[in-house]
Amino acid sequence: MPKTTGPVIKDIAELSGVSPATVDRVLNKRSGVREMTAKRVLQAAAELGYLPESDMQANFRPRPMKVVFLLPAGTNPYLGLLGETIKAAAEQPSGYNIRARCFFIDSFNPKLLSDAMRQHGKTADGIAFMAIDHPLVRETIADLQAQGKHVITLVSDIAGIRHSAYVGLDNRAVGRTAGYLLGRLTRQTTGRVALITASRTYRAHEEREMGFLSLMDESFAGISVIAAREGHDNRSENYHHTVSLLAEYPDLIGIYNVGGSSDGIARALRESDRGRDIVFIGHGLTSDTRKFLLEDIMDIVITQSPDIIVQNALKIFDNIRNGAAPMQGVADLTMQIVVKENLP
């Protein structure tokens, strides 16, 4: 602690608007004081001559905020791209003073997700993850927040538990958009369309399915929707589901892939020579879906920018650290509709 010549701790407390005990904690580098409060105390100490400017800068070097991103493992290229974006952001200097890491965990398993959140929560200040809507995960969020940790959901939100923020689209609107586009593109009033989803344990996929079904029922009542097949974002499962659908339904006119790993579906369509006859809409602009658009195997890709997702999450964590509203200054995340002719 600096020598107590000149103004005393009480003067610093009055100037900074805090208690003398808080001033003592800051100057002795003890925990339990918010970063913005500590900065105010150190600035007051420097103004009063109690602490030289150079010492203030040395004292006010907060440790980086440690955040962990948890994403589902598997063959979903878009989630792989999101993980690469997180890692790239972590390696680049930013004004957020955040140290970010990304880990992939087994998909669709709430116990494994809960265990990973608790394990990383021991050392991380914040966790951002693609939520599985399950009681075990909700309980884990509640426990982490009770410990002062900050929790952000990505791409897929969770219901029934307070958390810091959600970074993602309105997935019911996404599903309705997919239904509208598919119904318009088929140019037919009868026939069947198929849904292939990853798993309803993800609220995003459940909401997309609900939105799709409601729009089809409202606007294209003559088109029948086949009960959804769960492919768990696995290209092999999606491939076999599509092969089965093509064999069982000769009047199939459209496929909406609610989740990822569209490459399995595209492979089955290509092998069947029906790719150009069936409207195929999926999610996530990646190198493979770009290729399928160019080949006319896919008709539309609905996507959301992985760069904006990552930057928004980091901005929210930074806001929380600085005592600001979580969504202050956070960029809009918009639904992007990509076709062959407007590929970025």
Side-chain angles (χ1 to χ4, degrees):
M1 179 176 177
K3 294 180 180 179
T4 54
T5 58
V8 295
I9 285 179
K10 183 176 71 172
D11 298 322
I12 300 172
E14 289 178 357
L15 181 59
S16 58
V18 301
S19 69
T22 299
V23 174
D24 182 70
R25 294 185 73 85
V26 172
L27 296 181
N28 284 285
K29 299 183 180 180
R30 291 197 291 270
S31 62
V33 182
R34 291 176 62 183
E35 184 174 323
M36 292 301 290
T37 301
K39 183 175 182 179
R40 197 163 68 245
V41 168
L42 292 170
Q43 287 174 334
E47 287 177 26
L48 293 170
Y50 183 68
L51 188 69
E53 183 72 23
S54 59
D55 284 359
M56 189 197 87
Q57 295 298 330
N59 274 273
F60 191 67
R61 281 180 189 153
R63 68 173 179 82
M65 186 180 190
K66 297 178 182 177
V67 302
V68 167
F69 289 78
L70 298 176
L71 298 177
T75 62
N76 185 330
Y78 179 79
L79 294 180
L81 177 61
L82 183 57
E84 300 258 337
T85 305
I86 293 166
K87 291 175 182 176
E91 293 170 359
Q92 297 297 322
S94 72
Y96 295 138
N97 194 27
I98 291 174
R99 183 176 300 158
R101 294 181 298 164
C102 180
F103 297 92
F104 286 87
I105 60 172
D106 188 27
S107 306
F108 316 110
N109 189 320
K111 175 67 164 58
L112 289 179
L113 175 59
S114 175
D115 289 346
M117 292 172 68
R118 291 184 184 277
Q119 182 63 35
H120 290 292
K122 294 176 182 178
T123 56
D125 302 300
I127 294 177
F129 73 110
M130 187 169 163
I132 295 176
D133 204 348
H134 189 276
L136 191 59
V137 178
R138 286 192 283 273
E139 188 68 18
T140 299
I141 293 173
D143 290 345
L144 288 173
Q145 292 187 134
Q147 299 167 28
K149 308 298 182 179
H150 309 295
V151 178
I152 295 174
T153 53
L154 305 172
V155 181
S156 187
D157 203 2
I158 192 166
I161 182 69
R162 180 184 60 83
H163 49 290
S164 299
Y166 163 60
V167 179
L169 301 174
D170 175 346
N171 283 293
R172 189 175 177 87
V174 169
R176 288 183 63 85
T177 301
Y180 174 79
L181 293 170
L182 191 149
R184 296 285 290 181
L185 284 175
T186 60
R187 298 184 179 277
Q188 299 187 45
T189 56
T190 60
R192 299 178 192 267
V193 299
L195 281 170
I196 296 179
T197 184
S199 170
R200 295 181 184 90
T201 58
Y202 285 111
R203 186 178 174 191
H205 295 177
E206 182 181 35
E207 290 178 343
R208 289 174 189 173
E209 182 179 341
M210 290 170 59
F212 182 88
L213 291 173
S214 66
L215 189 287
M216 294 298 295
D217 185 59
E218 292 166 18
S219 302
F220 305 102
I223 298 175
S224 302
V225 181
I226 301 164
R229 311 279 177 99
E230 290 195 358
H232 304 99
D233 274 354
N234 180 284
R235 60 170 60 98
S236 179
E237 288 188 51
N238 283 354
Y239 169 77
H240 290 295
H241 281 319
T242 308
V243 169
S244 174
L245 288 164
L246 290 168
E248 188 173 353
Y249 300 105
D251 60 343
L252 189 69
I253 58 174
I255 295 176
Y256 173 37
N257 183 22
V258 177
S261 295
S262 288
D263 46 348
I265 301 169
R267 175 187 162 199
L269 288 172
R270 190 185 293 112
E271 290 177 357
S272 73
D273 292 327
R274 292 175 65 185
R276 295 181 183 234
D277 301 325
I278 293 174
V279 176
F280 176 23
I281 297 176
H283 285 273
L285 185 62
T286 58
S287 59
D288 64 331
T289 53
R290 291 178 67 93
K291 179 177 68 174
F292 303 146
L293 287 172
L294 291 169
E295 292 177 355
D296 292 324
I297 295 293
M298 285 189 85
D299 295 276
I300 293 174
V301 173
I302 301 174
T303 195
Q304 49 193 313
S305 166
D307 293 296
I308 295 178
I309 289 174
V310 174
Q311 289 305 313
N312 282 3
L314 294 176
K315 175 62 175 173
I316 290 167
F317 280 128
D318 187 59
N319 283 342
I320 293 169
R321 181 185 184 120
N322 292 321
M327 302 306 293
Q328 180 177 305
V330 175
D332 289 336
L333 181 63
T334 58
M335 184 193 321
Q336 297 172 288
I337 309 298
V338 182
V339 297
K340 179 172 68 173
E341 301 305 328
N342 73 346
L343 271 169

